[in-house]
Amino acid sequence: MLRSGHHTPHMCKRGRLTPRIRRSRCRTPCMRRRDHPTPHVLKGKHTHRRHTEGAIHTHTEGAIHTPLLPEELQKGKPFELAVDVGCGTGRYTRPLAVHFEKVIGIDLSESQINEARRSTSEENVLYHTSSAEEMPLKDASVDLVFAGLAAHWFILDKFMQEAARVLKPGGCLALHAFHLKFEIQYQDVSETLTAIITETMNVLFKYGDKSNDVMMNQYRELFEAVPFADKQRTTDIPVMYPLSLADLLGFIQSLYMYQVFLKQDRDGATEFLQRVEKRFRDTLGESSNQVTLEFHMTCFCVLACKS
Ligand SMILES: C[S@@+](CC[C@H](N)C(=O)[O-])C[C@H]1O[C@@H](n2cnc3c(N)ncnc32)[C@H](O)[C@@H]1O
């Protein structure tokens, strides 16, 4: 379970937001058919140090079992099948296990799938190395197609066609990610810390590709490409993570843009990160190893239901 001081910044539980969501809002995107799960997708657990984009390591491993769905929906029979597409190491796949009879994680990367298998003990969770555009699944067999921080990599029209093929009538599609603009708050140096992370991102954007644009416009193209009439996009959902400086530096390193930088110029990327770290340390002073920073980001999601 949660260690003290850390909270799961999930979206909305029984009509309330957790205290770590900044503004007061409840936009539970309920789908029309109430016998299908309401996809509460924005449960921000980030629990590994691999090069998964946005993997914020906050020492809250156990909290991934926090229920994703409102209690009234958890009491019924589990839904049959959920698929986590672009599952990486399975951090969003495992929490689905309690809500579905079977969960399948799919990822192009064999090494990610191997790691997901190693870190999963739930017997009803399986993994396959395969693509979002060609899922090894029967027509109309899936209750939930989910993708966390991954859909901006997919070939959009092919993925949407495939999601429409595998979903049952009434099945749901849930895609979420975060905006690449951050704020850091800590005592009276918030402005400086935010300027450092903004400048850092501005350098890293040079190593980005078109998936950045899809994230920066908060999945607008993805939303438009969803082939179902029952769909909605929720943007600017504020989320806050309490982070140590080490967590923050780990987060920067986990961004794929930093990984591209590293591949192209290992020494340049390493020195860049060292300079960023020095700026943070100079700003935070002697206690830089002890501080807990408030790392603010906004998330967005696209939710839809096949009729
Ligand atoms: C940023 S990671 C997110 C992983 C995981 N969902 C998470 O949040 O921890 C994106 C993942 O999508 C996978 N991926 C990218 N394109 C894919 C595709 N076309 N089909 C399946 N997986 C894909 C990558 O291999 C990577 O593991």
Side-chain angles (χ1 to χ4, degrees):
M1 283 298 117
L2 284 175
R3 290 197 194 170
S4 62
H6 293 290
H7 293 264
T8 307
H10 60 180
M11 190 175 163
C12 181
K13 196 179 168 192
R14 305 201 78 190
R16 289 192 312 270
L17 293 177
T18 61
R20 298 292 165 138
I21 305 286
R22 266 186 298 179
R23 287 194 291 274
S24 162
R25 66 166 88 180
C26 174
R27 291 189 183 173
T28 310
C30 300
M31 297 301 175
R32 218 174 271 151
R33 282 196 34 169
R34 300 300 303 171
D35 55 346
H36 269 275
T38 301
H40 278 51
V41 291
L42 284 168
K43 208 178 79 51
K45 292 313 320 126
H46 305 272
T47 53
H48 54 86
R49 281 193 186 281
R50 274 159 219 293
H51 301 316
T52 297
E53 182 175 72
I56 296 176
H57 183 88
T58 58
H59 313 288
T60 53
E61 189 79 42
I64 60 170
H65 299 298
T66 305
L68 284 162
L69 301 174
E71 278 168 29
E72 64 272 18
L73 287 178
Q74 292 164 31
K75 287 179 189 151
K77 191 171 174 245
F79 297 99
E80 280 169 348
L81 179 57
V83 181
D84 179 7
V85 191
C87 64
T89 57
R91 68 175 161 157
Y92 291 123
T93 324
R94 291 182 291 273
L96 293 169
V98 290
H99 305 293
F100 293 85
E101 283 169 14
K102 189 168 160 190
V103 181
I104 298 179
I106 285 176
D107 202 288
L108 269 185
S109 154
E110 200 163 351
S111 63
Q112 295 280 298
I113 288 293
N114 288 339
E115 180 57 34
R117 286 192 180 123
R118 263 195 294 278
S119 54
T120 298
S121 55
E122 290 80 358
E123 285 180 1
N124 60 338
V125 178
L126 299 174
Y127 293 99
H128 287 290
T129 307
S130 72
S131 80
E133 297 81 14
E134 236 173 289
M135 299 189 225
L137 300 164
K138 290 190 189 135
D139 294 359
S141 60
V142 178
D143 294 283
L144 173 67
V145 171
F146 168 89
L149 291 178
H152 44 280
W153 301 107
F154 304 161
I155 301 169
L156 198 49
D157 51 344
K158 290 199 171 146
F159 166 65
M160 290 299 173
Q161 260 174 31
E162 194 61 350
R165 180 184 71 76
V166 301
L167 277 172
K168 295 176 184 174
C172 295
L173 176 68
L175 314 171
H176 84 93
F178 58 76
H179 203 278
L180 292 165
K181 194 162 178 282
F182 312 113
E183 251 179 65
I184 305 173
Q185 288 177 12
Y186 183 70
Q187 296 184 353
D188 58 351
V189 288
S190 304
E191 217 171 291
T192 311
L193 296 172
T194 299
I196 298 170
I197 190 70
T198 304
E199 285 158 32
T200 302
M201 292 305 294
N202 286 342
V203 172
L204 295 182
F205 283 143
K206 287 187 235 154
Y207 300 92
D209 59 23
K210 71 178 174 51
S211 70
N212 271 6
D213 301 335
V214 183
M215 285 173 93
M216 290 303 264
N217 65 29
Q218 304 200 57
Y219 277 7
R220 199 180 49 231
E221 290 99 328
L222 265 79
F223 174 72
E224 283 163 7
V226 172
F228 312 137
D230 186 5
K231 59 180 175 178
Q232 77 176 71
R233 181 172 72 116
T234 304
T235 58
D236 300 309
I237 303 159
V239 178
M240 192 283 281
Y241 293 86
L243 296 188
S244 67
L245 180 56
D247 291 333
L248 176 61
L249 295 168
F251 171 73
I252 294 168
Q253 288 177 81
S254 78
L255 293 169
Y256 86 94
M257 293 177 283
Y258 183 76
Q259 293 302 314
V260 173
F261 189 1
L262 205 58
K263 252 190 207 148
Q264 289 179 9
D265 175 8
R266 176 158 287 276
D267 291 346
T270 308
E271 279 162 25
F272 170 71
L273 194 69
Q274 283 164 352
R275 282 197 302 278
V276 170
E277 177 172 356
K278 182 169 184 317
R279 289 182 71 191
F280 280 127
R281 287 198 186 282
D282 289 348
T283 307
L284 293 166
E286 279 175 11
S287 58
S288 59
N289 283 334
Q290 283 86 51
V291 298
T292 301
L293 308 166
E294 286 194 3
F295 189 73
H296 294 266
M297 59 165 70
T298 54
C299 293
F300 46 87
C301 61
V302 169
L303 303 169
C305 188
K306 179 175 166 179
S307 53

